[in-house]
Amino acid sequence: MADGDVPELTVTDPYVSTGRLPPSDEIDVMLASAHELYRDITRGEVADYIPVLASVDPELFGACVVSAGGREHSVGDSRHPFSIQSVSKPFVFALVCDALGHRKARELLGVNSTGLPFNSVMAIELNEHRTMNPMVNAGAIATTSLVPGDTAEQKWEFVREGLSRFAGRSLEFDEEVYESEAAANLRNVGIAHLLECYGQLYFDADQSTDVYTRQCSVLVDARDLAVMGATLADGGVNPITGERVIATAHCKRVLAVMATAGLYERSGEWMYEIGLPGKSGVSGGIVTVSPGKGGLGTFSPRLDAAGNSVRGALTTAYLSDRLGLNIYASEPATAG
Ligand code: GLU
């Protein structure tokens, strides 16, 4: 598994295991019916640990599908801006993979769900926010610390510019969300200093946390998330702008880490029901990727107990099923 003394395979990727999305009219119908089905679901709570997030309209609900070929399909509040929060994590990890190589990134950041053996009792004790991979805060702050740049300002600019290339437009940053989180993020500051003690942070602790907090405050909408997801689905090339954002070889690794830990402690349930790599964030966004087919962005602020958007997860499950996206689905070769 690409250990230090084993030469890495030169993979030419001649074959992929994926197909294409169904025709456009089917996608439009399925998006509309998901919106209709779930818009009256009011389960869940809006996040309030970042004070300013608590003031969002909980009824907002939008979704967007962007195909790897650049087709776009939207429903509801798909252009309503919100702060990207943890949905930034896979994309910053992708940029760091591109800058350092995915092998080095794996060595420095880890890609397992707990970092401990499968039967470790200690893993259960330690699991709350202590896992080491780029989808949880410890791994994400460490990832941000690895972003190219000698100063916090340079690192922040690299992140903002990189996320913008994924989205295919220049993304703004929400100063109010940043100030609100920066005034209330002692836990993240603590995590960064703890990582520093363990020699697992690669830049100044306070400044790494600050850049990470800015990264979380970048403004996106559901359509942006769909384009960003579609870029990971399209071998690292943004299907709307045609720009290569990261090398093809990194996409499948980023998706693997999302599949492992993208939905907080519900990642197993998500994979069981939906069968696609995804990443959610506390402001109510979810990005989901169907490799080779496209990206799905959803936004609805009410969250379940684990922090995942309730309507977003329902919509994603519905579309995964109706559009045939689950990567584990098959049928007997004799069936047709
Ligand atoms: N900025 C948030 C934090 O680090 C992101 C949380 C999230 O979306 O999971 O706490």
Side-chain angles (χ1 to χ4, degrees), residues 49-50 85-86 89 137 181 188 212 216 264 280-283:
Y49 80 97
I50 300 172
Q85 299 298 336
S86 276
K89 288 170 179 168
N137 282 18
E181 182 168 0
N188 285 345
Y212 166 78
C216 288
Y264 305 108
S280 61
V282 285
S283 49

Side-chain angles (χ1 to χ4, degrees), residues 215-292:
Q215 154 191 331
C216 288
S217 310
V218 165
L219 280 172
V220 290
D221 55 34
R223 188 233 175 218
D224 291 322
L225 295 189
V227 177
M228 295 170 87
T231 302
L232 290 178
D234 189 36
V237 173
N238 183 317
I240 303 294
T241 63
E243 185 187 358
R244 172 166 294 286
V245 183
I246 62 164
T248 299
H250 304 313
C251 289
K252 60 191 174 193
R253 270 88 188 196
V254 174
L255 297 180
V257 177
M258 290 166 73
T260 303
L263 280 293
Y264 305 108
E265 43 302 11
R266 298 261 163 95
S267 299
E269 284 168 46
W270 173 271
M271 197 48 70
Y272 195 84
E273 296 300 335
I274 293 172
L276 291 168
K279 183 72 199 87
S280 61
V282 285
S283 49
I286 303 180
V287 67
T288 307
V289 181
S290 176

